[in-house]
Amino acid sequence: MGDVIQLLPDSVANQIAAGEVVQRPASVVKELMENAIDAGATKIQVILKNAGKAFIQVIDDGKGMSPRDSRMAFERHATSKIACAQDLFNIRTMGFRGEALASIASVAEVEVRTRREEDELGTYLFIADSELRNQENISCPRGTNMLVKNLFYNIPARRKFLKSDTTEMRNITTEFLRVALTAPQVSFSLVNNDNEIYNFPVSGLRQRIVNAFGKSLNAKLLSVSCETGIVSVEGFVCVPQHSRKTYGEQYFFVNNRFMKHSFFHKAIVEAYSGLISADMIPSYFLYFKVDPSIIDVNIHPTKTEIKFQDEAAIFQILVACVKEALGKFNVTPAIDFDTEGMLDFAMPSSSVLPKIPKVSYKPGYNPFNYATSITKEDSDFERPAARPAGEVAHAKTVPSNWDALFAGLEEKQTDTQTVLTEMQAEALAGESHIAFVQLKGRYIVTPVHSGLMFIDQKRAHERVLFERYLEKLAHQQVSGQKSLFPETLELSAEDFMLVKDILPDLAILGFELGEFGKNCYAIYSTPPDLSHSHGREVLVSLIEHYKNTEGSIRDKMQERVAFALARAAALDYDEVLDNQEMSNLFDSLFACRYPNYTADGKTIIHILKNEDVASWFK
Ligand code: ADP
Ligand code: MG
């Protein structure tokens, strides 16, 4: 047998390389955007059809290419960004491997229009299967216009593996944001099927972040700035209350390149320790500047992990500078008393007759006997809490650990194993109280065994509703209120599809939506706890939540739906509550599984300890 080894044709070699660089439309978007930035563009437009499956166009106003360079750019290992091995240790551009365009041209059809400032005429190229099919002189604006059509048209097996438009679009927005966040001095827009998804004007970094993630973020950004011998870190972390249970707004950049770094992520989490619960993830946008020679970006063409020399030292620097940022903003607010030190109690005015307490009791009721427990329905917020003074009402809805609570009582119940949360125990132990006071239209204050309990009324109600909605979702209860004049909800194509994914869950909660023209829904019914006008708002905020969170695990989604609804439907601050209403809310809260925190980790309850009070009078 003769020799069998032969060199692969370029087109095949390029396709193999493309397997690494070009995995999906989002990879093409990323590479083309990075090239535009490297070309010094000040304006970059990304235009897509069918989430990039039909075409991806990136138009920049950068320096453009000469006719020869524009052809060369599609050769493998053709780059203007490095010339020798030494340059690998001093990379200041986003690209340098010279692989992206060659790879893209091996798996798609590419049209280029490009012109340099100094050239009168620009160049048009058409490339397919890694081959130049056509070249012409054309007149075109300065800069480069890359059109990538029919991705994977020549590799059906890969084309088949492209996901739904919604999913591909989500990947694209992820990449788009990663690039757009590195260059606030450049304007960016993203359009899919004629729907504008983002449009970022030239701005400062803070404004870019706010444009990307929503206005409400503005008040939550704390600036970080530190300069040391090995690294400088600039950017923002978010207030602890903004932390989420899911990943989404965690951004590290090194020398203006997005990176993932799980070790440095731990440093940030460490800086927040004590401020957020262990399952919450803080949001951050941090930009590292280092000497390029101390990092290795060459690990893999698409990997975003980057290795640093001396990671342990940088870890410490990060913890310190994030703690400092959090410290400047006083993140552990105590109960917010008036600055003048005055307590502003909402007292019933003397013209209002006090309500006569209604007392009723079940003659055969034995509080120590669970068989007579009342049902969950009875513990609802709306329930008039009629019970004889001294009766341990919560024991009926919350299985309690009597030993712990009533140590010393003759009659002991030993068969319940459930251990209550500390707060639930407190609420039970303080059961003999009757009085609730509303403070500043925000807090419900009531004495408990170990001191004075403060409950944030809005958050408490949010928690109660959140658990109730989750329950509904689990049990598939439908309960909407029909709207006589359905409102419409016009969306971008992407959001329209997102909503389609979650229609069944929305229906369970009472949101009945019907398609109503292009990218538009009519809202036929809304959940019973919401006014119709609120329904629309909640849907919009829901879509935002959903988009900014990675993954789409179903119960996570349900949690998000329930949470957004609870937030919108909860009673507000400054709503005056009477004793009965406060008592009902109190009951409902302590019938919750997790009364201490809202679904997004905010504190609901605080106890001013007896010892602390005593210490004031020493
Ligand atoms: P790399 O970016 O790693 O150099 P690419 O394959 O992405 O490799 O691009 C090859 C070369 O083509 C670049 O080095 C650059 O000189 C040129 N090029 C690509 N895109 C543009 C653009 N939008 N404007 C100007 N030049 C570009
Ligand atoms: Mg490149």
Side-chain angles (χ1 to χ4, degrees):
M1 208 165 106
D3 295 336
V4 291
I5 295 179
Q6 42 181 300
L7 278 176
L8 289 173
D10 271 358
S11 58
V12 178
N14 286 341
Q15 271 188 16
I16 293 170
E20 306 250 282
V21 184
V22 185
Q23 285 147 346
R24 48 176 20 100
S27 339
V28 176
V29 170
K30 167 181 180 279
E31 294 295 340
L32 297 184
M33 287 175 79
E34 290 187 345
N35 280 347
I37 290 185
D38 286 344
T42 63
K43 180 178 178 196
I44 300 174
Q45 294 166 268
V46 182
I47 302 165
L48 311 169
K49 181 117 201 287
N50 300 349
K53 292 179 198 166
F55 71 72
I56 297 162
Q57 184 171 35
V58 175
I59 305 172
D60 70 52
D61 62 353
K63 65 179 179 229
M65 288 177 272
S66 70
R68 177 189 171 274
D69 279 357
S70 61
R71 277 196 316 273
M72 276 294 286
F74 289 87
E75 297 291 330
R76 200 133 67 93
H77 307 305
T79 178
S80 55
K81 298 167 195 174
I82 54 174
C84 62
Q86 194 51 38
D87 291 349
L88 273 175
F89 300 99
N90 190 23
I91 287 166
R92 298 199 181 266
T93 51
M94 305 200 86
F96 60 88
R97 294 186 185 81
E99 292 183 308
L101 292 183
S103 299
I104 292 167
S106 72
V107 294
E109 299 169 324
V110 182
E111 282 181 41
V112 189
R113 292 169 178 82
T114 185
R115 184 174 69 82
R116 296 181 302 176
E117 181 77 54
E118 62 265 39
D119 299 334
E120 199 168 315
L121 280 180
T123 309
Y124 167 86
L125 300 181
F126 176 63
I127 298 159
D129 279 325
S130 298
E131 261 174 45
L132 180 64
R133 299 276 168 89
N134 188 11
Q135 173 166 0
E136 282 170 32
N137 293 333
I138 51 159
S139 59
C140 62
R142 175 203 141 138
T144 303
N145 177 336
M146 289 271 180
L147 181 61
V148 175
K149 291 190 294 191
N150 302 323
L151 185 62
F152 300 136
Y153 76 102
N154 52 356
I155 315 182
R158 305 242 3 224
R159 187 150 179 102
K160 234 178 29 212
F161 277 104
L162 291 178
K163 302 271 168 48
S164 72
D165 281 15
T166 318
T167 305
E168 294 299 349
M169 212 48 221
R170 204 174 307 147
N171 288 316
I172 288 170
T173 52
T174 299
E175 294 294 351
F176 178 88
L177 290 176
R178 285 176 183 175
V179 177
L181 286 171
T182 65
Q185 75 284 2
V186 175
S187 75
F188 290 89
S189 62
L190 175 64
V191 170
N192 181 42
N193 294 345
D194 296 329
N195 291 308
E196 187 173 82
I197 295 161
Y198 292 112
N199 189 349
F200 302 149
V202 173
S203 70
L205 178 59
R206 187 185 191 106
Q207 189 60 43
R208 175 61 50 92
I209 293 171
V210 169
N211 286 338
F213 298 102
K215 268 198 224 103
S216 65
L217 202 60
N218 195 20
K220 299 177 185 161
L221 295 173
L222 309 172
S223 63
V224 172
S225 173
C226 100
E227 178 108 45
T228 68
I230 46 174
V231 64
S232 90
V233 183
E234 301 280 333
F236 299 93
V237 294
C238 286
V239 297
Q241 292 79 359
H242 185 68
S243 306
R244 299 275 177 268
K245 284 212 169 89
T246 43
Y247 286 89
E249 295 166 2
Q250 287 72 38
Y251 288 89
F252 283 134
F253 301 92
V254 59
N255 294 352
N256 264 348
R257 176 192 300 275
F258 174 82
M259 71 161 177
K260 282 191 181 144
H261 208 295
S262 52
F263 185 58
F264 292 163
H265 173 77
K266 287 207 185 86
I268 310 298
V269 171
E270 166 141 354
Y272 278 78
S273 69
L275 299 172
I276 56 176
S277 55
D279 57 342
M280 302 300 274
I281 309 157
S283 298
Y284 52 82
F285 308 88
L286 294 173
Y287 295 72
F288 297 55
K289 287 261 163 9
V290 296
D291 182 331
S293 67
I294 75 152
I295 53 172
D296 178 7
V297 292
N298 202 9
I299 306 177
H300 188 277
T302 57
K303 288 255 163 70
T304 44
E305 282 86 6
I306 289 182
K307 275 212 166 61
F308 287 66
Q309 274 170 30
D310 215 354
E311 298 197 335
I314 297 178
F315 185 99
Q316 297 303 336
I317 293 167
L318 273 177
V319 174
C321 71
V322 172
K323 272 200 169 152
E324 193 198 340
L326 291 168
K328 276 187 198 150
F329 160 83
N330 180 15
V331 290
T332 44
I335 297 299
D336 193 10
F337 292 118
D338 263 2
T339 40
E340 313 92 86
M342 291 281 288
L343 292 185
D344 168 18
F345 289 104
M347 284 301 216
S349 79
S350 55
S351 64
V352 179
L353 281 178
K355 287 184 187 149
I356 298 168
K358 262 195 288 171
V359 177
S360 66
Y361 68 99
K362 289 189 207 154
Y365 181 67
N366 173 357
F368 295 96
N369 179 358
Y370 287 124
T372 60
S373 284
I374 53 175
T375 62
K376 181 113 181 56
E377 248 54 69
D378 295 324
S379 71
D380 265 355
F381 184 26
E382 292 77 17
R383 168 178 65 102
R387 59 173 183 267
E391 179 188 315
V392 187
H394 305 291
K396 296 180 291 187
T397 49
V398 186
S400 64
N401 185 339
W402 290 96
D403 287 356
L405 293 175
F406 295 97
L409 274 187
E410 300 273 8
E411 214 169 328
K412 280 184 182 172
Q413 178 102 357
T414 48
D415 59 349
T416 45
Q417 253 97 59
T418 319
V419 179
L420 294 176
T421 71
E422 211 178 302
M423 292 298 186
Q424 278 167 325
E426 272 297 336
L428 286 167
E431 181 53 31
S432 58
H433 70 255
I434 21 156
F436 294 93
V437 169
Q438 193 181 19
L439 180 64
K440 290 192 74 76
R442 293 181 83 90
Y443 309 108
I444 297 170
V445 186
T446 190
V448 291
H449 183 68
S450 67
L452 202 53
M453 180 182 281
F454 291 76
I455 300 171
D456 182 302
Q457 68 183 50
K458 180 170 170 33
R459 294 179 185 177
H461 197 205
E462 241 176 70
R463 166 50 71 180
V464 170
L465 293 177
F466 174 70
E467 294 200 3
R468 191 184 298 174
Y469 292 143
L470 271 188
E471 184 120 323
K472 274 191 195 173
L473 283 169
H475 294 100
Q476 307 270 315
Q477 294 177 8
V478 185
S479 51
Q481 48 174 348
K482 292 256 181 268
S483 161
L484 278 181
F485 306 102
E487 269 208 88
T488 55
L489 180 64
E490 260 186 67
L491 298 169
S492 69
E494 189 203 4
D495 291 354
F496 183 80
M497 284 183 291
L498 275 179
V499 171
K500 223 177 202 169
D501 285 350
I502 59 174
L503 276 180
D505 285 327
L506 292 174
I508 290 166
L509 287 166
F511 269 120
E512 214 186 291
L513 306 186
E515 293 188 20
F516 193 76
K518 187 168 179 283
N519 296 336
C520 185
Y521 289 103
I523 307 171
Y524 294 122
S525 80
T526 51
D529 313 81
L530 286 181
S531 72
H532 291 303
S533 57
H534 233 139
R536 191 170 185 282
E537 241 171 77
V538 172
L539 279 172
V540 170
S541 88
L542 231 158
I543 296 167
E544 280 315 302
H545 270 266
Y546 185 58
K547 276 201 301 197
N548 291 330
T549 325
E550 272 179 31
S552 60
I553 309 154
R554 201 175 141 83
D555 24 301
K556 277 271 147 60
M557 238 266 326
Q558 293 193 336
E559 258 182 41
R560 262 178 276 153
V561 174
F563 174 59
L565 262 182
R567 170 139 298 178
L571 68 90
D572 223 329
Y573 295 122
D574 290 330
E575 226 163 284
V576 177
L577 304 176
D578 65 21
N579 204 62
Q580 187 64 72
E581 287 166 330
M582 290 192 274
S583 165
N584 290 347
L585 180 53
F586 182 88
D587 284 2
S588 308
L589 178 64
F590 287 100
C592 285
R593 271 163 65 94
Y594 303 108
N596 295 3
Y597 296 100
T598 59
D600 59 341
K602 290 184 187 144
T603 303
I604 298 175
I605 301 162
H606 180 84
I607 293 179
L608 185 58
K609 292 265 165 46
N610 290 329
E611 304 93 86
D612 293 340
V613 177
S615 74
W616 300 341
F617 301 100
K618 280 212 174 110

